[in-house]
C-alpha cells in the first residue's frame, strides 16, 4: 500500500512537471512566432528601401544625362549667337557711308580703321574662336560647289587670315566648332555642307 501511494505521488509530481514544461513550450513557441514575424517585416522594409534606393539612383542618372544635353544645347546656342554677331559686324562694314561730302580716300581710310577695330574687338572680346570658325565656315559653304572637308576648310580659313592658336591641331579645332551644329551637315567621306542647301548629288540626280 505504501508503494502504491508513493507511485501515485510520483506520477502526480511528474504530471505537474509535464504541464509546467508544456506551458513553457507554448510560451516560447508564441515568442518565436512573434519574433519570426518581426524579422520578416524588417526584411520586407529593407527590400523596399533597397528598391527605392535603386530607383533614386536611376532617376539621378537620368537627371545628370539631361543636364549634360542641356549644357551642350546651351553651348551651341551661345556659339550661334556669337557667330551671328560676328556676321553682322562683318557685313555692317560693307554698308556705304551716308556722309557723301567726305573725300573717297578719307572715307576709305575711316572705313578701314573701323573694320580693323571691329575685327580686333570680335577677336579679343565679342567672339570666341568657335564662333569665328562657324561664321567663316558659313561664308565658305555659301559659295562652295561641293562639300568641304576639314582640310578644305583649313586652307580657306588660312586664306582668310584666320590664325589657329594653341596646341590643338586645326583639324581638331574645326571639328569641335562644327560638332552638333544644326546649321551644317556632315557627309561621311565628303565633308561639311550647309543644312539649308540641297546637296549637289541630289540636285544632279533631279
Amino acid at each position: 500500500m505504501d508503494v502504491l501511494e508513493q507511485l501515485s505521488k510520483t506520477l502526480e509530481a511528474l504530471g505537474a512537471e509535464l504541464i509546467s514544461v508544456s506551458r513553457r513550450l507554448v510560451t516560447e513557441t508564441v515568442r518565436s512566432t512573434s519574433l519570426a514575424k518581426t524579422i520578416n517585416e524588417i526584411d520586407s522594409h529593407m527590400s523596399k528601401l533597397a528598391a527605392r534606393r535603386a530607383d533614386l539612383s536611376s532617376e539621378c542618372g537620368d537627371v545628370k544625362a539631361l543636364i549634360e544635353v542641356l549644357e551642350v544645347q546651351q553651348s551651341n546656342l551661345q556659339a550661334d549667337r556669337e557667330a551671328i554677331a560676328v556676321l553682322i559686324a562683318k557685313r555692317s562694314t560693307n554698308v556705304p557711308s551716308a556722309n557723301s561730302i567726305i573725300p573717297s580716300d578719307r572715307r576709305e581710310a575711316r572705313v578701314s580703321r573701323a573694320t580693323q577695330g571691329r575685327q580686333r574687338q570680335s577677336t579679343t572680346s565679342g567672339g570666341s574662336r568657335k564662333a569665328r570658325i562657324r561664321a567663316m565656315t558659313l561664308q565658305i559653304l555659301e559659295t562652295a560647289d561641293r562639300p568641304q572637308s576639314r582640310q578644305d576648310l583649313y586652307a580657306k580659313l588660312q586664306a582668310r587670315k584666320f590664325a589657329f592658336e594653341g596646341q590643338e591641331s586645326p583639324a581638331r579645332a574645326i571639328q569641335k566648332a562644327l560638332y552638333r551644329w544644326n546649321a551644317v551637315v556632315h557627309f561621311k567621306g565628303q565633308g561639311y555642307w550647309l543644312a539649308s542647301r540641297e546637296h549637289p548629288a541630289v540636285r544632279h540626280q533631279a
Side-chain angles (χ1 to χ4, degrees):
M1 191 68 180
D2 292 337
V3 174
L4 291 175
E5 289 180 358
Q6 187 175 359
L7 286 174
S8 177
K9 290 180 180 179
T10 302
L11 289 173
E12 287 179 0
L14 288 173
E17 187 175 352
L18 286 173
I19 291 172
S20 177
V21 170
S22 297
R23 288 176 178 175
R24 286 199 301 270
L25 286 174
V26 170
T27 301
E28 293 297 330
T29 301
V30 172
R31 289 178 180 175
S32 298
T33 302
S34 178
L35 181 61
K37 183 178 179 181
T38 302
I39 292 173
N40 289 335
E41 290 176 354
I42 292 173
D43 290 340
S44 177
H45 286 303
M46 291 182 67
S47 299
K48 291 179 181 179
L49 288 174
R52 182 55 180 164
R53 179 182 178 183
D55 292 340
L56 290 174
S57 298
S58 177
E59 291 174 1
C60 289
D62 294 340
V63 171
K64 183 178 180 181
L66 179 60
I67 290 174
E68 291 176 353
V69 171
L70 291 176
E71 287 177 347
V72 171
Q73 292 178 352
Q74 182 182 9
S75 176
N76 288 336
L77 288 174
Q78 179 66 19
D80 289 344
R81 188 176 72 84
E82 293 176 354
I84 292 171
V86 172
L87 280 175
I88 292 173
K90 288 181 178 296
R91 291 181 178 178
S92 64
T93 61
N94 297 324
V95 178
S97 175
N99 190 357
S100 59
I101 63 173
I102 300 176
S104 60
D105 55 344
R106 292 178 59 190
R107 185 165 59 249
E108 290 176 358
R110 178 177 295 182
V111 171
S112 177
R113 289 195 298 272
T115 302
Q116 293 175 358
R118 290 191 184 97
Q119 288 177 344
R120 286 195 299 269
Q121 182 179 4
S122 64
T123 301
T124 57
S125 59
S128 64
R129 181 179 66 174
K130 181 177 181 180
R132 287 182 285 126
I133 290 176
R134 287 186 171 185
M136 291 186 178
T137 299
L138 283 179
Q139 295 175 350
I140 294 170
L141 296 181
E142 283 175 352
T143 57
D145 57 356
R146 63 175 177 81
Q148 301 290 295
S149 66
R150 286 192 289 273
Q151 289 74 17
D152 295 331
L153 292 175
Y154 170 60
K156 293 180 180 179
L157 287 171
Q158 274 196 319
R160 293 168 182 258
K161 308 300 182 184
F162 181 84
F164 288 90
E165 301 174 353
Q167 298 180 353
E168 190 174 49
S169 67
R172 179 61 176 166
I174 293 171
Q175 181 184 23
K176 288 176 64 176
L178 303 182
Y179 180 65
R180 288 187 177 179
W181 189 31
N182 55 11
V184 300
V185 291
H186 182 264
F187 294 98
K188 187 175 182 180
Q190 300 181 42
Y192 295 94
W193 189 250
L194 280 180
S196 59
R197 292 183 64 188
E198 187 179 27
H199 191 279
V202 176
R203 183 167 61 250
H204 179 72
Q205 292 174 0

